[in-house]
Amino acid sequence: MVLSVLLRAMAAMALAGGAIIPVCRRHSAGPWVYGTVLAACSIAFAAALAHLSSGAAPLTLTLPLGIPWLGAHFRLDALSAFFVAVVNLGGAAASLYAIGYGRHESEPLRTLPFYPGFLAAMNLVVLADDAFVFLFAWELMSLSSWALVMAHHRAEGTARAGYIYLVMAGFGTLCLLLAFGLLAGSEGAYTFDAMRHGALPESLQTLVLILVLLGAGSKAGIVPLHVWLPLAHPAAPSHVSALMSGVMTKVAVYGLIRIVFTLAGPPAWWWAVIVLIIGGATAVLGVLYALMQHDLKRLLAYHTVENIGIIYIGLGLALAFQTNHLSIGAALALTAALFHVLNHSLFKSLLFFGSGAVLRATGERDMEHLGGLIHRMPVTAATFLIGCAAISALPPLNGFVSEWLTFQAILISPDLPQWGLKFLVPAIGAALALSAALAAACFVKAFGITFLGRPRTPHAVAATEVDPCSRGAMAFLAVLCILAGVLPGLVVDALSGVVRELTAGSSLPAQSGLPWLSLVPLSTARSSYNGLILLVFLTFTSTLIAVSLRRLASHAVRRAPAWDCGAPDASPITQYSAGSFAQPIRRVFGGFAFRAKERVEMPEPGSMQPARLHVQLRDHIWDIIFAPIQKAIAFTTERLNTLQFLTIRSYLALVFGALILLLSGLALWQ
Amino acid sequence: MHGLAFDVAHLLSGSLVLISLMLLYQDRLYSLLNIFAFHAVFLAFAVAWQAFIQRAPHLYVTAAIALAFKGIVIPVALHRMVQRLGIHRQIETVVGIGPTMLFGIGLVALSIMVMLPVTEQADALTQEDLAFALSVVLLGLLMMVTRRNAVSQIVGFMSLENGLILAAAGAKGMPLVVEISIAFSVLIALIVIGIFLFRIRERFDTVDVHVLDRFRGEQP
């Protein structure tokens, strides 16, 4: 019943794009399409939440579609239900936002047809129960999001971003295809049900893990496969960026969880090592890249890379505990990872909405051209601040809870028997702490430079607050961020069904009955967290301080010149800039992480020219991995090009040579 | 399988390989065509012998077709073409006769090495037959690659096709319909190729395919 409601919602969504657009006139189509998608997403979200909270048995459905003898299998278990809820929550928020934001699109028809299909495809990936439907939906998701990325195809860099995205998406799908081929075995058991019961030899299992990490990881944006992500995500319209960053990467995480935890069979302990190292590297490098960015949307996209790293750390810990049958640890780590999936989808969508609002109001993405927006866009600024605090893992917001849970899982890692893990996990913990601190620095920069200070350009002066729909969507997500942070017990309880399914029966103790809405993952003796008390305390103390300051301080308003570093020229350009903010961190990490080079150009004595500071950053990963691949492909194709212009006899000779080679191979191989 | 049947079959298909090798070093067109006719005649004998020992009367038809078309009609037609084209001169081989022969011998060895282990389940006659057939095919291909004159490339192609028929006759069971349709398609191919030969000659005053390459601007 629930499953068929979900599938019908998907069908309605997909039809929305095809049916409404031709009927409506050009500019009225947007609200209708987004409205329909909003309704479908809300229904799907409610259905998934109902299934998740009822704890009902998995539902299955087979439709006579796709490959004739296979059909299309769908299944709604707790894991799918959770991800359906995440996808549709993000989808509903993005649709609400887009009702307002979409009006300002210059060419809405480049976005509208693909948007519903993109959401429906993400839902189908999560609901799929055989390899064919999964891969079909996965590829549909990639292609429709590619079309959305290319919506502003004339903008500079979009064509390159789309091309790299398409190549990486094709590579990822190929890896997943091969992984499913291995899982299906020689008999071609392509349903997930058959894969769950099949047993693979360990060498093939390892190969499956590597292929899935490449395939699902490239979509999620793990280092070093992240190169497409910061190019493609910002290039799309902002509501689509929010979906790609907040939701599509989660679908990729789902792919990893589905295959590694439920299909590939019992994991080996060193899988955890691989996943943990990838997670740690992704988290630290993602945030370091983000710090160097001055483009608001690109900064957010790099933060997606960082947060995927945090989720991978949680999953790696879960694998480590699971192989050692420490089921409570596995449950804790999985809860942390899934909680972070939800959190990231909330605050990253919120932040992208905020950046979209700024983009709409000023036409600028570069922070160096913004500033002072808090007075002109108060609602956007407030919600963006909540998002920044949440992604920086500040209590009492939701980001803190999931990172705190991850740290709790790291703290019980001495129970692990393998010495490799005993040493690795604390190191990963340090990396996680570093990335959290750097993220906080990064969002101080993002918020401070964009919203505080004085406007740096006329565009920023002329900014106005965005429309009510967009503000509503941002406020909705901000409230959810606060609620999930203050009442984490409810989320943890909702996740317990998913965790039980993945760890064969164990989950964290029920949190909803605890006094004062505390969160006690293991036992009160070890650790507990109470968001509500913290919120009350913070509200109380800050109110107290504000009131006492008002009472005790002078009431007279005093206006004085702002401190201007001793320069008499009060131009807004003399303000602290994003580049200035990042400089100390660039000096510390830039040398080895980016081969950063600074060059100061001092004018000759007597010259009237300004001094200039040039900063050059290089992406190591692009230089080491992708540039050589690019060069090798270019070289090979250049050489193979001559094959186009051979004589008939040379072609015959080639065929003959190939035949002889194969026959000799056959003769020698026997 | 009694001894005599095996020995004769062996002798006939072996001589087919031998004639294929002889084709490789013919450097005059007339002698090449004569040897090709000889090739077809031996093919007809080999297939007829297969018909006799397998008691498969339809293979006699195959043999008759091979004898009539490939042994007589095609060589005569090609003879007349060569006469009308006026190319009785020497053929240039690309690699040179010594290396070509050595390579041809290597191909025969290769096909025996490939075929004998692959067909271990089959009886000895089929094994030998398939190995010889493969060497005839490879030698035909080699001839097409090494020759530069269009007529000798046609001969290479036809001898390759002879190898296929030998394999099919040995494998007990090529239906007659297939055999006849192949024979006719070969004949049609001959007609088409003949027309093309004259067209090429009209255009370029030669049937040396090297000139075609030059015309395409690939080689100076």
Side-chain angles (χ1 to χ4, degrees):
Chain A
M1 171 60 194
V2 179
L3 190 53
S4 64
V5 166
L6 278 175
L7 289 174
R8 263 164 223 180
M10 299 313 113
M13 231 189 279
L15 280 180
I20 295 177
I21 294 163
V23 175
C24 297
R25 267 179 299 143
R26 194 158 168 261
H27 285 285
S28 62
W32 279 104
V33 171
Y34 291 126
T36 319
V37 174
L38 172 61
C41 279
S42 311
I43 293 170
F45 173 71
L49 204 62
H51 182 81
L52 190 62
S53 54
S54 72
L59 304 170
T60 54
L61 187 72
T62 309
L63 294 181
L65 300 169
I67 299 178
W69 61 91
L70 189 65
H73 297 257
F74 298 96
R75 187 164 186 271
L76 183 71
D77 52 13
L79 180 65
S80 328
F82 170 67
F83 276 93
V84 168
V86 169
V87 168
N88 286 302
L89 186 58
S95 306
L96 178 61
Y97 177 79
I99 292 177
Y101 182 80
R103 290 212 185 101
H104 310 293
E105 281 284 304
S106 53
E107 288 171 290
L109 288 183
R110 288 193 180 279
T111 317
L112 285 180
F114 305 109
Y115 179 82
F118 178 44
L119 268 170
M122 289 196 287
N123 275 300
L124 283 185
V125 171
V126 176
L127 288 174
D129 197 33
D130 65 55
F132 177 76
V133 176
F134 186 96
L135 287 172
F136 176 79
W138 185 276
E139 196 61 10
L140 189 63
M141 174 177 88
S142 300
L143 289 179
S144 51
S145 56
W146 173 78
L148 291 167
V149 166
M150 295 301 282
H152 301 155
H153 63 116
R154 292 193 204 288
E156 192 196 339
T158 303
R160 178 163 177 266
Y163 178 68
I164 293 178
Y165 177 35
L166 203 58
V167 170
M168 290 298 284
F171 167 75
T173 311
L174 176 70
C175 289
L176 281 181
L177 184 75
L178 295 177
F180 279 123
L182 287 177
L183 282 170
S186 52
E187 279 131 51
Y190 284 106
T191 59
F192 286 179
D193 209 35
M195 290 179 196
R196 257 177 228 118
H197 298 116
L200 278 182
E202 201 174 330
S203 54
L204 286 188
Q205 254 187 326
T206 310
L207 204 57
V208 167
L209 175 77
I210 291 168
L211 286 170
V212 169
L213 279 176
L214 287 176
S218 70
K219 183 63 85 188
I222 59 169
V223 169
L225 301 170
H226 67 280
V227 284
W228 64 273
L229 195 148
L231 299 174
H233 284 190
S238 294
H239 58 295
V240 178
S241 306
L243 275 186
M244 287 179 75
S245 245
V247 177
M248 190 174 75
T249 52
K250 304 306 166 301
V251 175
V253 169
Y254 165 81
L256 181 83
I257 297 178
R258 174 60 77 198
I259 297 176
V260 172
F261 282 82
T262 69
L263 300 183
W269 72 270
W270 51 267
W271 290 18
V273 176
I274 300 180
V275 177
L276 279 171
I277 289 176
I278 289 177
T282 306
V284 173
L285 280 176
V287 73
L288 279 179
Y289 283 121
L291 263 166
M292 302 302 134
Q293 298 303 317
H294 304 155
D295 177 328
L296 195 54
K297 284 179 83 175
R298 184 163 295 173
L299 178 145
L300 293 175
Y302 271 118
H303 265 285
T304 300
V305 174
E306 182 227 341
N307 280 281
I308 289 296
I310 296 174
I311 295 170
Y312 266 58
I313 289 175
L315 294 178
L317 287 170
L319 276 176
F321 289 119
Q322 198 157 17
T323 58
N324 292 305
H325 306 289
L326 297 168
S327 53
I328 193 72
L332 178 58
L334 267 176
T335 308
L338 293 172
F339 203 151
H340 203 73
V341 163
L342 172 69
N343 289 342
H344 183 243
S345 80
L346 293 177
F347 51 62
K348 188 47 64 69
S349 300
L350 169 58
L351 290 169
F352 264 114
F353 292 169
S355 71
V358 170
L359 180 61
R360 213 280 300 146
T362 62
E364 288 286 349
R365 276 165 41 181
D366 191 341
M367 282 188 272
E368 310 279 31
H369 297 163
L370 299 169
L373 293 180
I374 193 166
H375 301 297
R376 293 161 183 81
M377 310 171 72
V379 178
T380 307
T383 50
F384 197 86
L385 181 61
I386 291 174
C388 287
I391 199 172
S392 311
L394 295 183
L397 293 165
N398 58 351
F400 175 75
V401 182
S402 47
E403 290 201 24
W404 182 77
L405 284 173
T406 313
F407 277 113
Q408 295 306 313
I410 287 174
L411 289 179
I412 56 170
S413 67
D415 295 350
L416 292 168
Q418 289 90 2
W419 281 100
L421 284 172
K422 271 188 213 243
F423 282 115
L424 179 68
V425 172
I428 296 294
L432 184 60
L434 175 67
S435 73
L438 289 176
C442 188
F443 276 97
V444 169
K445 165 181 136 180
F447 186 79
I449 304 295
T450 310
F451 289 96
L452 304 182
R454 285 182 299 151
R456 291 178 175 79
T457 53
H459 297 298
V461 177
T464 48
E465 184 59 280
V466 285
D467 56 276
C469 277
S470 306
R471 272 182 282 165
M474 288 189 284
F476 170 65
L477 287 179
V479 167
L480 282 183
C481 280
I482 297 172
L483 280 182
V486 175
L487 308 169
L490 297 180
V491 183
V492 171
D493 283 352
L495 287 174
S496 64
V498 187
V499 173
R500 261 199 299 279
E501 197 174 85
L502 294 176
T503 57
S506 65
S507 70
L508 296 187
Q511 308 288 332
S512 52
L514 294 176
W516 292 98
L517 299 170
S518 292
L519 183 65
V520 184
L522 300 169
S523 68
T524 27
R526 289 195 90 122
S527 55
S528 68
Y529 166 70
N530 193 315
L532 188 62
I533 291 179
L534 207 59
L535 179 69
V536 169
F537 172 75
L538 283 176
T539 324
F540 179 71
T541 47
S542 48
T543 320
L544 194 69
I545 290 170
V547 167
S548 51
L549 276 178
R550 290 230 150 203
R551 293 272 148 182
L552 300 177
S554 158
H555 284 269
V557 176
R558 186 167 60 96
R559 287 199 178 271
W563 183 64
D564 48 11
C565 302
D569 177 17
S571 151
I573 300 173
T574 57
Q575 292 179 96
Y576 209 57
S577 71
S580 338
F581 205 100
Q583 194 192 29
I585 297 169
R586 193 178 67 228
R587 290 255 166 97
V588 176
F589 294 102
F592 79 93
F594 308 105
R595 273 196 277 158
K597 279 196 193 112
E598 285 185 16
R599 191 159 52 80
V600 181
E601 218 172 72
M602 287 303 282
E604 296 287 309
S607 162
M608 295 297 281
Q609 282 178 344
R612 288 185 184 282
L613 172 69
H614 297 274
V615 178
Q616 193 192 18
L617 297 177
R618 295 195 64 85
D619 188 342
H620 268 310
I621 289 163
W622 184 270
D623 288 352
I624 293 172
I625 300 177
F626 292 96
I629 292 177
Q630 202 181 10
K631 251 187 225 159
I633 290 175
F635 180 82
T636 329
T637 44
E638 195 81 2
R639 292 293 163 285
L640 289 181
N641 205 17
T642 49
L643 282 185
Q644 297 272 345
F645 307 105
L646 293 182
T647 61
I648 300 167
R649 234 191 43 213
S650 327
Y651 282 126
L652 265 180
L654 274 182
V655 171
F656 185 60
L659 185 65
I660 298 296
L661 202 69
L662 290 177
L663 284 178
S664 326
L666 191 65
L668 291 176
W669 178 57
Q670 276 165 357
Chain B
M1 180 64 55
H2 50 87
L4 181 67
F6 178 79
D7 287 342
V8 172
H10 202 165
L11 173 72
L12 287 172
S13 29
S15 19
L16 216 54
V17 176
L18 199 66
I19 298 167
S20 275
L21 284 170
M22 283 165 70
L23 280 174
L24 281 182
Y25 68 83
Q26 299 306 316
D27 52 4
R28 287 185 186 279
L29 276 181
Y30 279 156
S31 56
L32 182 72
L33 291 177
N34 291 341
I35 302 284
F36 172 66
F38 207 44
H39 198 261
V41 169
F42 264 85
L43 174 74
F45 283 151
V47 174
W49 186 253
Q50 288 285 347
F52 174 66
I53 58 175
Q54 290 178 25
R55 292 185 180 75
H58 65 265
L59 281 182
Y60 285 119
V61 182
T62 309
I65 291 173
L67 190 64
F69 282 151
K70 296 201 174 143
I72 300 165
V73 176
I74 292 176
V76 169
L78 283 174
H79 251 279
R80 294 182 61 184
M81 274 187 210
V82 170
Q83 217 163 24
R84 283 180 54 195
L85 290 167
I87 41 168
H88 332 286
R89 59 191 173 84
Q90 209 178 9
I91 327 165
E92 324 91 76
T93 47
V94 175
V95 189
I97 287 174
T100 317
M101 290 300 289
L102 280 178
F103 198 66
I105 292 166
L107 287 182
V108 175
L110 176 69
S111 51
I112 288 173
M113 271 169 66
V114 169
M115 270 304 175
L116 290 189
V118 169
T119 56
E120 242 165 37
Q121 278 84 23
D123 57 70
L125 179 58
T126 317
Q127 272 188 318
E128 297 277 327
D129 225 24
L130 285 177
F132 285 137
L134 182 63
S135 14
V136 172
V137 168
L138 289 181
L139 289 172
L141 212 50
L142 178 65
M143 189 159 159
M144 289 182 77
V145 173
T146 50
R147 294 301 172 111
R148 185 171 278 182
N149 188 298
V151 174
S152 44
Q153 283 193 341
I154 295 167
V155 170
F157 174 69
M158 300 272 173
S159 72
L160 184 154
E161 206 262 341
N162 283 352
L164 291 181
I165 292 190
L166 180 68
K172 295 182 188 166
M174 178 149 84
L176 191 60
V177 184
V178 179
E179 165 56 25
I180 289 175
S181 55
I182 287 182
F184 275 106
S185 55
V186 167
L187 209 61
I188 289 165
L190 174 81
I191 294 165
V192 173
I193 290 169
I195 292 169
F196 266 101
L197 273 182
F198 284 103
R199 298 284 304 167
I200 292 170
R201 212 273 305 255
E202 268 172 36
R203 188 81 182 71
F204 298 105
D205 289 329
T206 175
V207 285
D208 187 336
V209 285
H210 191 63
V211 178
L212 286 180
D213 302 340
R214 220 166 353 186
F215 177 70
R216 279 177 56 194
E218 307 304 343
Q219 286 165 359

